[in-house]
Amino acid sequence: MRTPRRAARVAVLEPDGAVFMFRYDNDEVGVHWALPGGGMEPGETPGQAARRELREETGWDDIALDGTLLCRWEHDFTRAGVPVRQSEHIFLAAGPRRDPEGDLLALHAEEGILRWRWWSPRELAGATEQLWPPRLPELLADVRRNGPPVTPVDLGYVGNA
């Protein structure tokens, strides 16, 4: 039985279309790249959680979130020894290319973040490691072509590869 967990993440895009991501290694799902974000705290909305998590994980407190949702999805993984089924809201935001700010090494180690990087659209499309959410290259290519979605894409439940 998996514990339900709600989470929010942010796809921070720079003007050339690059997106910021973290690399994780999880016992259950292995190495994968994910957007900044994480679990919602009691009483938080998805947007509030996305802002808080982005600030905590990157040190960036100047990224504006206008509430535009890219997608929603559910997936399973084990977090701190607890099997969870996580339901995520993925928000879009614009920001400049830069490094995370502040002393984040301890937090990143605690969260299982191994490293970070900006991915160009071309690099994202050719990624060989798992990306969370799935279809991220396709979703962001559609944003570049057509602008943000009017209605977020619902990826539904995605099982582990």
Side-chain angles (χ1 to χ4, degrees):
M1 182 74 172
R2 294 196 175 264
T3 301
R5 184 173 192 249
R6 295 180 59 206
R9 297 190 179 278
V10 183
V12 179
L13 302 173
E14 71 158 351
D16 75 357
V19 64
F20 182 85
M21 298 185 79
F22 288 117
R23 185 175 193 254
Y24 293 83
D25 190 359
N26 177 274
D27 290 338
E28 183 176 358
V29 297
V31 173
H32 62 283
W33 290 86
L35 303 164
M40 292 171 55
E41 294 181 355
E44 269 186 325
T45 66
Q48 290 168 334
R51 279 183 205 89
R52 176 186 50 76
E53 286 284 340
L54 180 64
R55 184 179 57 253
E56 287 176 1
E57 292 184 349
T58 65
W60 305 334
D61 60 4
D62 60 345
I63 302 290
L65 271 71
D66 66 6
T68 302
L69 271 173
L70 174 65
C71 67
R72 290 191 282 269
W73 74 300
E74 289 187 2
H75 59 101
D76 295 338
F77 73 107
T78 298
R79 182 178 187 281
V82 177
V84 298
R85 172 147 306 164
Q86 184 154 289
S87 174
E88 293 190 3
H89 289 73
I90 309 293
F91 290 88
L92 287 171
R97 182 183 292 244
R98 61 184 164 179
D99 295 344
E101 300 170 354
D103 184 13
L104 301 170
L105 291 177
L107 172 72
H108 286 184
E110 180 181 319
E111 294 294 322
I113 296 171
L114 303 176
R115 66 187 198 104
W116 59 268
R117 68 174 277 205
W118 287 89
W119 290 74
S120 72
R122 185 177 190 180
E123 292 167 332
L124 203 62
T128 57
E129 292 181 313
Q130 187 175 342
L131 303 173
W132 284 10
R135 295 182 39 206
L136 184 63
E138 169 193 335
L139 294 169
L140 294 180
D142 192 51
V143 169
R144 286 191 307 280
R145 278 191 307 271
N146 304 313
V150 175
T151 304
V153 176
D154 186 352
L155 299 175
Y157 171 76
V158 179
N160 293 329

